[in-house]
Amino acid sequence: LALGESVSERARGVVFDGGEMNTGARPGLSSRTHREALGSGAAGGRRRRRSGAVGRRRATRGGRGSGSKRATTRMEELTSLLRGARTRAHAKTEAKEKVDANDDEEQQEQQEEEVVVGRKDQEQQRLFSNLDAETLEHRPGSVVGSISLVAGTTVGAGILALPAVTEAAGYAPSSAVIVGCWAYSCVTGLLLAEVNLRLMCELGRGGVSMLSMANSTFGAPGRYTAGATYVFLHYALLVAYLARGGELVAQMAEVSPGLASVAFCGLLGTTVYMADSTSLDRVNTALVFGVVASFFGILLVAFANFDPHNLAHSDASAVASCVPVVALSFVYHNIVPIICSSLEGDRRKIAVSIAAGTSIPLVMFLLWNAAILGYSLDGAEQVGEAVDPLRALQEDPGVGSYITAFSLLAVATSFIGFVLGLVDFLSDALGLPTNSKNAVPFSLALLPPTAFAVVYPDAFLSALEYAGTYGVLALFGVLPAAMAWRTRSEGSSEGDKRNFGRMVPGGTATLALVGGSSLVVIIQQTLINLGATQQ
C-alpha cells in the first residue's frame, strides 16, 4: 500500500511539474519501460488497496459478528435468568394461593360442621322422597296436614263418650286421668315412630305397618297377635263410629239408623277411596276446622249456663273405670306409619306432628269435660246415675245444634283416620302395595263393621269400652314398649345409636313402666268385667 502511494505521488509529481514524463524516472530505463513500470506499480497499488479495504471490511464484519454473538448469548442468559426468576415467583404465588384456598376451604368445612353439629338435635333430613307414580313429581307430606290428621283421628267418638264415663269420678280426678293418658299416648306414639323409622331403614321402603313391625321384632307369634288385636280394635271403633254417625244422620234426615249408617259409610268411604293424598288432607283439614269451630260454639253456649258447683263432685275410687275410654280418646297410633311415610322419615317433623296433634285434643278434652259436667241442667239431681250428659244436652235447644254438628264432624274425622290405618294394615297383610287404591282392602275394612252397626245400632258405648281395654292398651301400650325394647337391645352399638336415635329418652326402666302400666289396667278391667271385683 505504501509503495503504491509513493508511485502515485511520483506520477502526480511528473504531471504537476509541467508534463515532463521522464522527470523522476530511474536511470537506465526508457520512457516506455518507465511507463509500464509506473502502470504496473499503480495497478499493484490499486489491488493492494482493494485487498486492504476488503480485509478491513472482513475484519470489521468478523468483529461485529463475534460481538453480536456474544451480546446475543448474554441476552439469552439474562432472559433465561429472568424467566426462571419469574417462574419461581409465580410458583411461590400459586403455592401461597393454594395454601390460602386450602385454609379457606378448611375454615368453611369447619363452619359447616359446626352448623351441622348445632342443628343435629334440631333438624333431621328426610330418609327418602315421596314421588308420584305417574309424573315422578316430589310430593312430600306437610306438617300441618299431619297435625290435622293426628288431631282429627284423636278427636272422635272418644270425646263424645267422655262425659258419660267421667261424671262418676268428677272433674278434678278425671282431668288428672286425661292429662296422664295424653302423656302416655305421646310416649307410645313416639315409640312406634322410632320402631317404624328403624324398620323403614332396614327394609328400604316406606309404608311399614304395625303388622310388619310386629313380625320384624317378634316373628310369627308377634305378627299373629298384633294382627288379631289390630283388626279387633279397628273393627270395634268403626262399629262405634258408624253406629254414632248413623244415629246422628237418622235424627237429621228422619230415616232408620241402619240406613243412615249405610249412607254415612258410603259417603265417607267413597271419599277416602277416590281422593288422592293431597285432596284427602284438605278434606280432613276442613273437617278438623269444622270440629274446632263447632266445639268453641258449644263452649260459648255451655259456659253461659256454667255452674262451678257441678264440678265440686269428686270420687277417686271411680277413676279406674274411666281409664279405658279416656285412653281410647287419645288413640291415633294406627296412623303413625302413615305419618312417617308421608313426612319421609323426618324425625323432627314426626315428633312435632305427634306432640302438636295430640296437644290440641288435650286442651279440647279438658274444656269439653268442664263445659259438659258444669252445664246447669234441669234435673241435675240425676248426677251420679247412669245418665249420659251429652245426650241430655243434645235435647237443649240452645246448645243441641252445636253438639250435633260437633259430634258428626268428630266422628267423620276419626272414621277417615281409622279407615286409612286399617286399609294400610290389610294391604300389607295381603301383600298388596300400600297407599294404593285397591278395592279389596277397602271392602274388607268397611263392609264388616257396617253390617255389625246395622244389626246393633246401640253398640256405641260398649264397643268403645272393649276397644279401649283390649285393643288400645294392648296394641298401643304394651306392644310399642316391647318392640322398642327389642329393637334397642338388638342395636346397642355406638354406630347404631348414632344412626337410629331414640325418640323417647330413657332405657329399659322407662319401657317397663310404659308396658307394665297398660298390663295393670288390662288385668284390672278384666277382673271387673268378670265380676271378680266390685267396680
Side-chain angles (χ1 to χ4, degrees), residues 273 423 427 430 432-433 435-443:
Y273 179 74
V423 167
S427 298
L430 297 174
L432 299 174
N435 300 325
S436 62
K437 301 300 182 179
N438 194 303
V440 175
F442 274 92
S443 300

Side-chain angles (χ1 to χ4, degrees), residues 193-461:
E194 176 183 324
V195 176
N196 190 268
L197 291 178
R198 183 187 184 91
L199 292 180
M200 282 197 297
C201 292
E202 293 181 356
L203 299 177
R205 62 181 178 87
V208 180
S209 67
M210 287 288 298
L211 189 64
S212 298
M213 288 190 284
N215 183 64
S216 298
T217 52
F218 295 106
R223 176 186 178 90
Y224 295 138
T225 302
T229 307
Y230 192 92
V231 173
F232 167 77
L233 171 63
H234 280 69
Y235 276 152
L237 291 177
L238 289 178
V239 166
Y241 297 158
L242 290 172
R244 186 64 168 175
E247 178 185 352
L248 295 171
V249 173
Q251 292 176 357
M252 294 185 295
E254 297 182 355
V255 296
S256 64
L259 181 60
S261 297
V262 173
F264 182 81
C265 178
L267 177 61
L268 290 182
T270 303
T271 301
V272 175
Y273 179 74
M274 298 297 295
D276 57 17
S277 60
T278 303
S279 301
L280 195 59
D281 272 349
R282 294 173 180 173
V283 170
N284 192 71
T285 302
L287 291 175
V288 170
F289 282 131
V291 169
V292 174
S294 59
F295 173 78
F296 283 107
I298 294 173
L299 292 184
L300 290 176
V301 177
F303 280 118
N305 296 325
F306 181 75
D307 186 0
H309 296 288
N310 293 339
L311 303 181
H313 171 70
S314 178
D315 185 6
S317 62
V319 166
S321 62
C322 67
V323 171
V325 175
V326 175
L328 173 68
S329 301
F330 283 102
V331 168
Y332 63 93
H333 305 71
N334 57 312
I335 62 170
V336 168
I338 298 175
I339 292 174
C340 292
S341 297
S342 176
L343 296 179
E344 302 173 332
D346 193 314
R347 305 170 74 89
R348 183 183 64 83
K349 292 181 179 180
I350 294 170
V352 170
S353 298
I354 291 176
T358 54
S359 296
I360 295 173
L362 171 64
V363 176
M364 294 177 65
F365 290 170
L366 293 174
L367 293 176
W368 172 264
N369 207 30
I372 301 303
L373 296 182
Y375 191 81
S376 180
L377 281 172
D378 294 335
E381 67 277 4
Q382 292 178 342
V383 170
E385 298 181 7
V387 176
D388 186 356
L390 189 63
R391 292 184 182 273
L393 283 176
Q394 199 168 350
E395 302 297 330
D396 191 309
V399 73
S401 58
Y402 290 102
I403 291 179
T404 299
F406 173 76
S407 301
L408 188 60
L409 293 173
V411 169
T413 55
S414 283
F415 181 84
I416 292 175
F418 277 88
V419 167
L420 288 174
L422 184 56
V423 167
D424 185 67
F425 179 87
L426 294 175
S427 298
D428 185 67
L430 297 174
L432 299 174
T434 57
N435 300 325
S436 62
K437 301 300 182 179
N438 194 303
V440 175
F442 274 92
S443 300
L444 292 176
L446 296 176
L447 294 181
T450 303
F452 197 92
V454 171
V455 177
Y456 300 98
D458 298 327
F460 174 67
L461 190 56

Side-chain angles (χ1 to χ4, degrees), residues 190-191 194-195 198 481-493 496-497 500-508 510-511:
L190 291 175
L191 288 176
E194 176 183 324
V195 176
R198 183 187 184 91
M483 291 191 299
W485 171 79
R486 187 62 176 269
T487 56
R488 289 181 180 183
S489 62
E490 291 178 351
S492 57
S493 64
D496 189 86
K497 291 179 181 179
F500 304 101
R502 296 178 178 180
M503 299 190 71
V504 176
T508 305
T510 301
L511 300 179

